[in-house]
Amino acid sequence: MAVERSKVLIVGGTGYLGKRLVKASLAAGHQTYVLHRPEIGVDIDKVQLLLYFKHQGAHLLTGSFDDHHSLVNAVKLVDVVICAISGVHIRTHQILLQLKLVHAIKEAGNVKRFLPSEFGTDPAKMDKAMEPGRITFDDKMKVRKAIEEGGIPYTYVSANCFAGYFLGGLCQPGQILPSKDHVLLLGDGNPPAIYVDEDDIAIYTIKAIDDPRTLNKTVYIRPPKNILSQRQVVEIWEKLIGKELHKSSISKEEFVAAMKDQDYAEQVGLTHYYHVCYEGCLTNFEIGDGGVEASQLYPEINYTTVEQYMRRYI
């Protein structure tokens, strides 16, 4: 007997993570809808990506956060809504736009699960985060509050560090390609973080949407082999290239002082690096009753290890 899979709407489906979510949803056999704005203009890359999704079997829907009726109509077609709009200030910080989506989901009344745009550090653990970076976590908590007060079934996904941003630059802010000569260690480089291939984030997310074990829970993606310090990441890279890098370091005091010379968007991102790389905020707590761990729930998923991911840069 065939398993009936949820129909899925992905908002932000042409973005960095969104396009991976569309791909994973289609691959898992879900009837997949992609919401796109009517005002695409001459963004040819986005148009061609949407046409590719259509060719792969996705249904394209026109809608906008400025058109409540279009959101309600889109939501009524599906069982699960996943939002992947940007929460990164160096791109576009749009987290609070999701409050309009929450309103549409409440009005439609048919959604069995909503996954808001999170996918990074768990904002519920960041109530003591520094300014100005805490705005990301505060805004995500406002969206959570609206979801829960509205009685909307949810799953939150905490995917920790996107591998492309952190591993590519050996955990150095502002770099996405690994040097073969030098690395700047943040402090002593020893606090552990968690790195996840973006394609794996999408696969775990789609796996969770029909799982009763993840309903009204936070899904933490913590692949055991990918819980490593910056020093360990550098050691893996050195092993792959057969060369030891020259190392220097920057203290947390120096890091914070230098951060204040940057523009606002850069400061937000650097604050996140501070909490991850100096404080170890991704690993300094145990998953409690309100959470589950993805690699334990789905051991059949052969996730990409840090070493496997970094081979692409050789």
Side-chain angles (χ1 to χ4, degrees), residues 158-172 186 189-198 200-201 204 221-234 236 273 276-277 280 282-283 303-307 309-310:
S158 175
N160 301 294
C161 298
F162 283 18
Y165 281 98
F166 276 80
L167 295 181
L170 300 177
C171 310
Q172 299 169 102
L186 304 187
N190 289 326
I194 306 166
Y195 314 95
V196 189
D197 183 314
E198 291 85 345
D200 291 343
I201 293 172
Y204 280 120
I221 306 179
R222 290 182 167 185
K225 293 181 180 179
N226 292 3
I227 303 175
L228 301 167
S229 68
Q230 183 189 14
R231 279 190 180 275
Q232 289 173 312
V233 169
V234 170
I236 289 171
Y273 268 88
V276 169
C277 296
L282 302 179
T283 58
Y303 67 83
T304 304
T305 66
V306 168
E307 181 170 347
Y309 191 93
M310 297 192 73

Side-chain angles (χ1 to χ4, degrees), residues 78 140 142 204 206 209 223 226 231:
V78 300
K140 288 180 178 181
K142 289 175 185 175
Y204 280 120
I206 296 301
I209 63 177
N226 292 3
R231 279 190 180 275

Side-chain angles (χ1 to χ4, degrees), residues 84-99:
I85 62 174
S86 175
V88 181
H89 278 75
I90 57 171
R91 290 173 177 264
T92 51
H93 181 74
Q94 300 176 323
I95 293 299
L96 291 183
L97 281 178
Q98 292 179 105
L99 295 175

